[in-house]
Amino acid sequence: MANIKSAQKRARQAEKSRLHNMGMRSKMRTQIKNVLKAVEKGDKAAADAAFKAAVPVIDSMINKGIVTKNKAARHKSRLNKQIKALAS
């Protein structure tokens, strides 16, 4: 643990931020898994609905700085590709 008061505060803030970010990341991953489960079942309607719910969550993680915009775009693109493959 740090000895300087400002460093102690910074350590507390960093820990609080880490826990918050962990929860946000988990929320995003859950949304992604919901889409993947629907795709795995072969239910296009459910997969579309889950994807529409997941996109705003993924986008909000960009604004919060949880993930980079490229990573978010990659997730959205891969999920959309899998959903479109169901239609074929």
Side-chain angles (χ1 to χ4, degrees):
M1 190 68 186
N3 292 326
I4 298 169
K5 195 170 184 180
S6 61
Q8 289 172 344
K9 180 178 179 181
R10 191 30 101 183
R12 286 194 309 268
Q13 288 175 330
E15 179 62 16
K16 190 174 178 182
S17 174
R18 185 184 71 81
L19 292 173
H20 178 263
N21 290 346
M22 220 164 52
M24 291 288 116
R25 200 172 295 117
S26 174
K27 181 179 177 182
M28 183 183 76
R29 288 179 182 151
T30 301
Q31 293 293 326
I32 291 169
K33 285 177 192 174
N34 289 343
V35 177
L36 292 175
K37 285 178 189 172
V39 168
E40 198 173 285
K41 288 180 184 175
D43 188 357
K44 185 171 180 349
D48 274 333
F51 182 70
K52 284 185 177 145
V55 168
V57 173
I58 294 170
D59 288 339
S60 73
M61 295 306 130
I62 299 168
N63 297 332
K64 294 177 193 303
I66 307 295
V67 294
T68 63
K69 78 179 168 183
N70 282 351
K71 179 172 178 152
R74 183 172 64 244
H75 278 304
K76 291 189 293 186
S77 173
R78 287 179 181 173
L79 291 173
N80 199 24
K81 185 177 176 185
Q82 289 179 353
I83 292 169
K84 287 192 179 195
L86 282 178
S88 306

